[in-house]
């Protein structure tokens, strides 16, 4: 939608600016398609579910840490910590100690997994659910000023359209490859 003033309202559609959107400042449907997730039978939750009584109890939500892997082979992550660049087997082993916690919260997932068990199936599923729905919005100030609190200047420039509009740039995610470490980080 090219006319909604979503940037003025904290990157949200007018009226939704008081919502609690995680893991992003914007609602999930700005960056992911809930319909695609439902089609794949993948669970997703709006952050409001964390306000339910069962998640307010002590220990119901655990924040995990992501750290660089220390030098040397055979290092194991302390409970509640994941090494960046883990395989799915390493991630499973590290998470076994917190398997009884209902909600595990990651600060981000960039660079978390180096490899997955079945890269072909995972890449096909990821292409269907991690593609970003196309959207544009009008900037009511110069986009460089209005978007500076959320995006770096090069990203704003990449998405600037027609003078006073911004369209979310679409870049494909890197694919996992069998037998190779393929970190899920985007190169700028």
């Amino acid at each position: 939608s090219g006319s909604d003033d979503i940037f003025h309202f904290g990157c949200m559609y007018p009226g939704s600016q008081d919502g609690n959107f995680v893991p992003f400042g914007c609602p999930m449907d700005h960056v992911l398609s809930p319909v695609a997730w439902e089609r794949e039978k993948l669970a997703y939750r709006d952050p409001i579910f964390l306000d339910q009584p069962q998640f307010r109890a002590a220990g119901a939500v655990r924040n995990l840490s992501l750290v660089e892997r220390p030098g040397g082979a055979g290092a194991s992550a302390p409970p509640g910590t994941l090494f960046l660049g883990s395989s799915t087997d390493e991630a499973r082993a590290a998470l076994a100690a917190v398997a009884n916690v209902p909600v595990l919260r990651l600060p981000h997932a960039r660079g978390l997994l180096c490899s997955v068990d079945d890269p072909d199936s995972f890449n096909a599923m990821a292409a269907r659910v991690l593609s970003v729905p196309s959207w544009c919005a009008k900037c009511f100030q110069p986009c460089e000023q209005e978007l500076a609190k959320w995006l770096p200047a090069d990203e704003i420039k990449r998405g600037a359209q027609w003078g006073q509009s911004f369209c979310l740039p679409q870049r494909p995610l890197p694919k996992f490859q069998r037998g190779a470490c393929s970190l899920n980080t985007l190169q700028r």
Side-chain angles (χ1 to χ4, degrees):
S1 156
S3 62
D4 289 321
D5 191 5
I6 66 168
F7 302 128
H8 175 76
F9 290 100
C11 201
M12 300 177 191
Y13 287 107
S16 67
Q17 67 271 18
D18 295 327
N20 180 19
F21 298 104
V22 290
F24 314 103
C26 293
M28 178 179 166
D29 65 355
H30 277 43
V31 292
L32 298 171
S33 170
V35 172
W37 283 50
E38 187 174 310
R39 195 178 310 129
E40 293 293 319
K41 298 185 179 9
L42 292 173
Y44 66 90
R45 300 277 187 267
D46 287 320
I48 195 76
F49 89 97
L50 291 173
D51 291 338
Q52 296 176 17
Q54 67 265 34
F55 298 118
R56 291 186 194 152
V61 177
R62 175 118 183 231
N63 292 318
L64 300 179
S65 299
L66 300 176
V67 297
E68 295 288 335
R69 184 182 303 277
S76 60
T81 302
L82 290 171
F83 290 138
L84 293 169
S86 293
S87 69
T88 48
D89 288 339
E90 291 170 324
R92 273 189 208 104
L95 294 174
V98 291
N100 63 332
V101 177
V103 177
L104 300 175
R105 192 178 343 208
L106 296 169
H108 62 79
R110 293 179 308 278
L112 175 57
L113 291 179
C114 179
S115 62
V116 294
D117 293 335
D118 183 353
D120 295 333
S121 294
F122 181 87
N123 290 334
M125 181 270 303
R128 293 187 298 268
V129 299
L130 298 180
S131 60
V132 179
S134 180
W135 65 269
C136 299
K138 183 175 181 176
C139 297
F140 285 84
Q141 301 173 35
C143 290
E144 296 80 16
Q145 292 173 6
E146 196 163 2
L147 302 177
K149 59 183 156 187
W150 299 296
L151 298 171
D154 63 323
E155 195 73 19
I156 297 168
K157 188 174 185 176
R158 227 184 326 273
Q161 304 284 323
W162 314 293
Q164 290 292 109
S165 292
F166 176 82
C167 296
L168 184 69
Q170 309 270 337
R171 284 184 254 151
L173 292 171
K175 294 183 177 183
F176 287 105
Q177 298 174 11
R178 191 172 304 282
C181 181
S182 305
L183 290 175
N184 60 339
T185 55
L186 290 174
Q187 300 298 318
R188 289 197 176 258

